[in-house]
């Protein structure tokens, strides 16, 4: 089936949405750092001493071991979905729907905070063992649950895209790369993973494993439930099969084809963009603390003004453009990371070497210091 063809004019929409998701997720992550720093300052002031373990436990930092084994774990998961999809599709659909609900609620939270600020205090409401939540959090979660239910009932691609966007932003915001070394290990391993399962899996499994898993629809849980409970032929049988939100899809102008980009092709480069944004902020604070000390003498002032975030973001756009051109030339699905990883990592490594930051970015995890300036110029 060519219903999810990667070769389509709607790829322009994919470019814009993926870049917006990366930028928004990176800045949400940076804002979370600022909020955690403020809480640490408040706790240290109240307790009279600094508690270094007061960071947000919900943030997951990937270390070198996890970066090396993540492609292996992803390969195992891909094979399980390829061979046993019919057996696990309902469980996988329910788990995906739950995660998408939480992620989309996180995506909606700033808007809900803005809407509820004039009419309600920010005091948290207790729900017993479930925890305490603000009115904005309850509103965002309610809207997210409503959207997931409508998606289950209709299976519309636009609602699936909305859930996939929430997953992208949440993963970029809550997962951190601590150093350039870990970034290179992770992205290089995923590049090999992507290339193998797109280009070479057909020689072993007689099918393109990556494309088949990405485009295979799942049975609707409502249909499965109606059959299990014997509710009758007219109950729950009109609901469509669901295409899971592991990708962004956009229809062509004729509506006969969809362009597709996996969320991994957004999230993994997005983690690198998030890392360099945090490093730009870290370096800006360090320069302000040292009274604006100039950089190395062999680097022009114009080069010093170019941020790592801008450099890597431009590389991501060029990589996406190259992947699209390659897919049109070869008329086949392309592993996007084959183009995204070199076009993001190589310019970043080159610029870090020229600026003299490569050693510090490579092996020394940084901890952004509290600063009176909460905004980074972009």
């Amino acid at each position: 089936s060519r219903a999810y063809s990667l070769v389509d004019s709607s790829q322009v929409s994919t470019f814009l949405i993926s870049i917006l998701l990366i930028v928004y997720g990176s800045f949400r992550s940076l804002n979370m750092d600022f909020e955690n720093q403020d809480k640490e300052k408040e706790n240290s002031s109240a307790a009279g001493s600094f508690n270094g373990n007061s960071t947000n436990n919900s943030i997951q930092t990937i270390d070198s071991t996890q970066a090396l084994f993540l492609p292996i774990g992803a390969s195992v998961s891909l094979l399980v979905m390829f061979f046993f999809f019919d057996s696990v599709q309902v469980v996988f659909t329910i788990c995906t729907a739950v995660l998408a609900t939480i992620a989309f609620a996180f995506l909606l939270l700033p808007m809900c905070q803005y809407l509820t600020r004039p009419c309600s205090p920010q005091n948290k409401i207790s729900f017993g063992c479930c925890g305490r939540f603000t009115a904005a959090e309850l509103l965002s979660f309610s809207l997210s649950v409503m959207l997931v239910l409508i998606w289950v009932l209709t299976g519309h691609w636009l609602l699936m895209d909305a859930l996939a966007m929430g997953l992208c932003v949440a993963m970029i915001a809550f997962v951190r790369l601590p150093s350039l070394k870990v970034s290179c290990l992770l992205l290089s391993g995923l590049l090999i993973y992507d290339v193998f399962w797109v280009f070479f899996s057909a020689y072993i499994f007689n099918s393109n494993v990556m494309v088949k898993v990405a485009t295979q629809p799942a049975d609707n849980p409502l249909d499965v439930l109606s059959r299990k409970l014997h509710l009758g032929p007219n109950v729950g049988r009109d609901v469509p099969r669901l295409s899971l939100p592991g990708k962004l899809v956009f229809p062509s102008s004729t509506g006969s084809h969809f362009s597709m980009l996996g969320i991994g092709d957004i999230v993994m480069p997005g983690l690198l963009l998030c890392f360099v944004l945090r490093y730009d902020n870290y370096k800006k604070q360090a320069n302000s603390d040292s009274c604006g000390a100039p950089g190395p003498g062999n680097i022009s002032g114009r080069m010093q003004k170019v941020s790592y975030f801008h450099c890597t973001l431009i590389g991501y756009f060029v990589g996406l453009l190259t992947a699209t051109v390659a897919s049109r030339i070869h008329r086949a699905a392309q592993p996007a990371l084959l183009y995204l990883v070199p076009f993001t990592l190589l310019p970043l490594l080159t610029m870090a070497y020229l600026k003299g930051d490569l050693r510090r970015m490579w092996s020394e995890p940084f901890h952004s210091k509290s600063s009176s300036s909460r905004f980074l110029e972009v």
Side-chain angles (χ1 to χ4, degrees), residues 53-357:
N53 297 323
S54 59
T55 56
N56 192 338
N57 293 328
S58 62
I59 296 176
Q60 175 65 42
T61 301
I62 298 177
D63 57 26
S64 299
T65 303
Q66 293 171 331
L68 287 173
F69 282 96
L70 194 147
I72 299 175
S75 298
V76 173
S77 301
L78 198 65
L79 285 176
V80 170
M81 293 296 296
F82 180 74
F83 287 112
F84 307 106
F85 184 80
D86 292 338
S87 302
V88 301
Q89 59 178 323
V90 176
V91 175
F92 190 74
T93 303
I94 294 175
C95 293
T96 303
V98 172
L99 292 176
T101 302
I102 299 172
F104 193 72
F106 175 76
L107 182 65
L108 292 178
L109 184 58
M111 181 191 71
C112 294
Q113 289 174 336
Y114 177 80
L115 294 176
T116 59
R117 186 179 296 115
C119 56
S120 67
Q122 294 301 314
N123 298 330
K124 293 189 174 182
I125 304 171
S126 177
F127 284 84
C129 61
C130 296
R132 298 168 59 86
F133 305 94
T134 63
E137 291 171 343
L138 294 175
L139 177 60
S140 65
F141 184 74
S142 300
L143 293 175
S144 182
V145 170
M146 185 182 305
L147 182 135
V148 171
L149 291 177
I150 297 174
W151 168 65
V152 171
L153 291 173
T154 64
H156 198 278
W157 66 268
L158 191 58
L159 301 180
M160 185 197 71
D161 277 1
L163 297 177
M165 292 175 193
L167 287 171
C168 289
V169 171
M171 292 177 69
I172 293 173
F174 284 99
V175 180
R176 304 289 171 82
L177 296 175
S179 66
L180 193 54
K181 174 185 175 181
V182 175
S183 303
C184 291
L185 287 175
L186 178 64
L187 291 176
S188 299
L190 290 173
L191 184 152
I192 298 172
Y193 156 85
D194 208 15
V195 169
F196 173 79
W197 290 111
V198 173
F199 283 156
F200 301 105
S201 60
Y203 297 103
I204 302 175
F205 303 99
N206 296 321
S207 177
N208 191 317
V209 175
M210 181 74 76
V211 173
K212 183 176 180 180
V213 171
T215 58
Q216 189 168 4
D219 287 340
N220 197 301
L222 296 180
D223 184 24
V224 176
L225 183 63
S226 67
R227 285 190 274 110
K228 293 291 185 181
L229 299 179
H230 304 287
L231 298 179
N234 297 324
V235 180
R237 299 300 178 87
D238 295 332
V239 291
R241 302 192 74 191
L242 298 176
S243 184
L244 301 181
K247 54 191 173 293
L248 293 179
V249 297
F250 292 93
S252 63
S253 57
T254 61
S256 59
H257 299 288
F258 283 80
S259 65
M260 181 180 71
L261 182 67
I263 63 173
D265 300 325
I266 301 174
V267 171
M268 296 308 164
L271 295 179
L272 179 64
L273 267 294
C274 180
F275 166 74
V276 296
L277 179 65
R278 292 170 60 232
Y279 187 83
D280 283 333
N281 181 69
Y282 166 82
K283 188 175 180 181
K284 183 181 179 182
Q285 292 179 1
N287 289 340
S288 63
D289 291 343
S290 60
C291 301
N298 60 333
I299 302 299
S300 66
R302 180 174 297 180
M303 173 67 76
Q304 287 293 338
K305 291 180 181 179
V306 177
S307 70
Y308 293 112
F309 184 77
H310 288 141
C311 174
T312 313
L313 187 62
I314 293 172
Y316 178 80
F317 176 80
V318 175
L320 270 183
L321 183 62
T322 306
T324 303
V325 172
S327 66
R328 291 183 177 179
I329 293 175
H330 298 287
R331 298 184 179 276
Q334 295 290 307
L337 291 180
L338 175 63
Y339 308 95
L340 295 176
V341 171
F343 278 103
T344 53
L345 274 183
L346 293 181
L348 173 60
L349 292 171
T350 302
M351 178 171 285
Y353 175 77
L354 293 176
K355 286 188 173 185
D357 293 329

